[in-house]
Amino acid sequence: MPTSSASRAATFDETGPTETSPAQAVSRLPVSGWGIAASASWLGVTAVSLARDDVGDWSRTATFAYGAAVVALAAFVVSLAGARLGQAGTWFAHRTPWLIVLGLGLALWELVTAKLGWLPLPFFPPPQALLEVYLDDFGKLGASVLASVKLQISGYAIGAVIGFLTGVSIGWSRSAGYWVHPVLRFIGPLPATAWLPVAFFLFPSSWSASIFLIALATAFPVTVLTWSGVASVPSSYYDVARTLGATPWFLIRKVAVPAAMPHMFVGLFMGLGASFAVLVVAEMMGVKAGLGWYLQWAQGWAAYANMYAALIVMSLLCSGAITLLFKVRDRLLSWQKGVVKW
Amino acid sequence: MVALAQQVQHATAGASLEVDNISHHFAIEDRRLDVLDKVSFRAAPGEFVALLGPSGCGKSTLLRLVAGLEPPAAGSLKEDGIAIAGPDPSRVVVFQDPTLFPWRTVRDNVALGPEAQGGLKAKRARIDEVLALVGLSSFAKALPHQLSGGMAQRVALARALVNDPRILILDEPLGKLDSLTRLTMQSELVSLWQRAGFTTLLVTHDVEEALFLANRVIVFSDRPAQVKADLPVDKPYPRHRGDPDLAELRRQILGLLGLDATW
């Protein structure tokens, strides 16, 4: 059958031969069996939620049940549409097994908390409690997200720029290295959080102190890796550029920096991880806003549903930031990929 | 007429080179390693001079000095009578490795010189012309990792030629190519040199390559390098690889290099 082999080729192009998911074998059928199973598992969530009354007093059980039903319906429709959806269909097909597992997990969670009450409260709230947080505490949670994002972006950007400039300077100039190197060695390995008490009385506001700490946590790995990147540029690159009439400034901008770029991105990645840790700690200790503060506040009131809800948002933000960084890297470093050879 | 026109072009395009009593050494740990010992020779404008010698004798060091990448320990170097003080785009080097910048496309690699000298806009047409000259117009947007060894070396050559050098310095540019590509590129080099008329300095340890390409072959001794012989190759181009006179010269040169027993 020519159509089936064509669609198989398309599937391979899409995800690569190494990551074939179990669902892909079935996605070529007009109706995806895995999609139907996913639909069923989310319908199961609805069924469990509506089967009997809650053990505790939860206000959003019905919303939760119908929400799951909407997911089930959507999965069902997409499964019927199958191959006609093209790329979106492939995207969905690749993720259906996860959708099934998520549905089963949610149903189980619902069962052992709200329906059977096997897990102790307030530590283990049911899923509808988290939904309640998202729906009813939207304002406060949203404001916290905004505060965190603002703080993170400001601190990270400052740290990345300072790290980049310092790294290039000490990688390029021997005398800059002489002065900066010992300082870097003395301050760098110290966890940025150790500066917390000092930073909070040295800086006029807890916000500026946090910016300083996040920038510090970011700048160290960015500096070290930019420096090692610049230092490892082959001298033949400089020879070539010099014989073509390059000035030192040209050598830095057009040879050293692009050649060091792969190292720099490792530094930016490490800096991102370190800065998340500092952000949360800073918000818990001093800043009166942000997700870290929200977590602290929720714990103080034993509002564990709020805590879990905030943790999920935080995790999505962090992984989103890393995904974004990787996307930028893949774009800028596309020249590294050695695929086609003539 | 044509010959005259070519000669005129040669006189304006190529620069003369004077290498006068050049000595050079490196410090390796605490020891002093002498690489060049009172080397002197001259290259007339538009001449093609091959420097031949055993591996590691210091030929490449001499090229770095001529390029102005390093100052010599003793002696003087002059381009058209003016002392060489540093690198200059009038003397461009093509190294053994193409050393293309992997993040730049073929075209952007070729444009490196004009960009570094600040004359990118004025040279746009020249860049396309040179790309066509080395037969890579259709690869202008390719990245270096997509090229074969021969193609990469052609890009390196184009990157040098786009600056219209007066002295082209070739440091075993064909050394790492397969033998077929190498023969093709030797012929291409000859016609490029004949057309543009730059003075050419070629380091090689391939005797046949030197004889196929050069007006003169300068043979160096082992390190520290001294000029052992300066042999004119009076043969018109294009040359024939099986030419009996060239075979005789080859025998003579191999003898100077201490390899006569095998021939």
Side-chain angles (χ1 to χ4, degrees):
Chain A
M1 279 220 313
T3 40
S4 101
S5 71
S7 78
R8 180 180 315 165
T11 318
F12 265 78
D13 281 345
E14 190 48 41
T15 44
T18 45
E19 22 165 335
T20 36
S21 75
Q24 273 174 345
V26 195
S27 71
R28 265 173 261 121
L29 300 172
V31 175
S32 159
W34 288 77
I36 302 297
S39 183
S41 100
W42 281 78
L43 215 52
V45 177
T46 311
V48 170
S49 314
L50 297 178
R52 54 181 286 181
D53 285 340
D54 292 340
V55 172
D57 180 23
W58 307 107
S59 66
R60 291 287 185 174
T61 308
T63 320
F64 175 67
Y66 298 130
V70 168
V71 175
L73 185 67
F76 186 70
V77 170
V78 173
S79 315
L80 283 189
R84 264 162 290 171
L85 286 175
Q87 209 163 335
T90 320
W91 186 89
F92 175 76
H94 185 63
R95 285 157 183 81
T96 17
W98 267 106
L99 201 59
I100 298 171
V101 170
L102 273 178
L104 292 176
L106 270 181
L108 186 69
W109 180 10
E110 176 69 16
L111 191 68
V112 297
T113 52
K115 298 303 164 188
L116 299 172
W118 285 355
L119 292 179
L121 284 171
F123 307 106
F124 298 100
Q128 55 262 49
L130 270 71
L131 188 65
E132 188 184 329
V133 172
Y134 289 132
L135 293 173
D136 299 349
D137 204 18
F138 179 79
K140 202 196 276 172
L141 195 57
S144 299
V145 168
L146 277 181
S148 284
V149 168
K150 210 171 121 198
L151 190 58
Q152 169 69 23
I153 290 180
S154 315
Y156 184 71
I158 293 171
V161 169
I162 290 174
F164 169 77
L165 294 176
T166 318
V168 171
S169 312
I170 60 180
W172 184 260
S173 145
R174 210 173 280 247
S175 58
Y178 176 83
W179 291 108
V180 176
H181 212 176
V183 178
L184 203 63
R185 205 166 255 215
F186 185 69
I187 293 177
L190 202 63
T193 41
W195 288 84
L196 216 81
V198 185
F200 277 130
F201 78 74
L202 275 183
F203 280 82
S205 64
S206 59
W207 205 76
S208 53
S210 308
I211 296 263
F212 164 75
L213 293 174
I214 293 168
L216 191 70
T218 308
F220 178 60
V222 174
T223 303
V224 171
L225 276 130
T226 304
W227 162 44
S228 83
V230 170
S232 64
V233 177
S235 64
S236 58
Y237 282 10
Y238 296 130
D239 284 348
V240 164
R242 283 174 64 207
T243 60
L244 295 173
T247 57
W249 182 230
F250 185 89
L251 292 181
I252 294 175
R253 278 185 319 129
K254 301 285 181 141
V255 184
V257 169
M261 204 75 91
H263 279 81
M264 266 175 227
F265 270 99
V266 178
L268 284 171
F269 170 68
M270 289 167 59
L272 198 56
S275 67
F276 288 151
V278 177
L279 171 77
V280 174
V281 173
E283 284 176 345
M284 285 179 162
M285 305 290 283
V287 189
K288 294 280 177 283
L291 281 169
W293 168 82
Y294 189 94
L295 275 180
Q296 188 84 338
W297 167 85
Q299 198 221 1
W301 287 97
Y304 284 89
N306 295 60
M307 218 173 77
Y308 294 126
L311 269 177
I312 291 173
V313 171
M314 198 184 272
S315 145
L316 289 177
L317 283 176
C318 292
S319 90
I322 285 175
T323 309
L324 192 68
L325 182 71
F326 281 0
K327 283 249 151 78
V328 172
R329 179 198 62 180
D330 291 346
R331 208 183 169 81
L332 282 178
L333 299 186
S334 57
W335 53 267
Q336 277 194 314
K337 282 180 196 155
V339 213
V340 196
K341 251 194 186 304
W342 275 294
Chain B
M1 277 289 275
V2 175
L4 185 70
Q6 244 176 6
Q7 264 181 350
V8 171
Q9 203 192 354
H10 280 205
T12 51
S16 72
L17 175 72
E18 288 171 47
V19 177
D20 196 13
N21 253 322
I22 290 291
S23 296
H24 200 66
H25 55 81
F26 293 118
I28 292 179
E29 278 153 27
D30 290 334
R31 286 185 313 115
R32 178 183 147 138
L33 185 72
D34 288 300
V35 281
L36 294 169
D37 183 17
K38 292 184 181 135
V39 172
S40 295
F41 66 88
R42 272 153 196 269
E47 206 173 11
F48 198 132
V49 179
L51 310 179
L52 205 63
S55 200
C57 77
K59 307 174 299 249
S60 295
T61 305
L62 183 60
L63 287 197
R64 287 182 67 82
L65 302 182
V66 172
L69 288 170
E70 284 170 52
S76 78
L77 290 159
K78 284 178 187 162
E79 177 189 10
D80 266 350
I82 299 159
I84 291 173
D88 188 278
S90 70
R91 285 168 271 117
V92 184
V93 192
V94 179
F95 294 95
Q96 183 171 17
D97 287 310
T99 334
L100 304 178
F101 293 173
W103 58 89
R104 282 175 170 247
T105 62
V106 165
R107 193 175 194 285
D108 289 346
N109 265 291
V110 174
L112 197 64
E115 197 182 325
Q117 297 150 36
L120 192 56
K121 275 188 186 160
K123 285 268 195 173
R124 269 197 195 135
R126 179 73 180 132
I127 292 166
D128 292 327
E129 202 179 295
V130 169
L131 271 174
L133 195 66
V134 297
L136 287 174
S137 297
S138 53
F139 287 88
K141 287 196 175 127
L143 284 167
H145 70 72
Q146 298 168 313
L147 304 177
S148 70
M151 287 162 79
Q153 198 55 278
R154 251 173 246 218
V155 177
L157 198 60
R159 182 179 60 189
L161 293 176
V162 81
N163 303 286
D164 295 310
R166 306 197 60 209
I167 300 180
L168 183 65
I169 302 169
L170 304 168
D171 190 359
E172 293 186 51
L174 313 180
K176 284 191 175 170
L177 302 182
D178 64 275
S179 53
L180 276 176
T181 313
R182 193 172 169 148
L183 295 184
T184 321
M185 284 195 65
Q186 285 173 358
S187 306
E188 283 172 19
L189 258 181
V190 169
S191 59
L192 279 176
W193 164 69
Q194 284 188 308
R195 235 183 301 177
F198 40 71
T199 309
T200 307
L201 215 55
L202 167 78
V203 154
T204 180
H205 44 229
D206 181 340
V207 181
E208 281 164 57
E209 182 171 287
L211 291 172
F212 184 71
L213 294 172
N215 295 130
R216 262 167 70 203
V217 176
I218 296 177
V219 183
F220 285 96
S221 68
D222 258 330
R223 199 183 54 234
Q226 286 178 311
V227 175
K228 220 171 181 180
D230 190 338
L231 309 162
V233 187
D234 285 326
K235 276 277 163 191
Y237 298 92
R239 287 174 181 166
H240 193 268
R241 290 177 201 278
D243 192 305
D245 295 342
L246 293 186
E248 170 54 28
L249 266 173
R250 184 177 71 171
R251 199 192 54 76
Q252 199 182 334
I253 291 170
L254 285 171
L256 284 166
L257 293 170
L259 291 164
D260 45 344
T262 54
W263 290 90

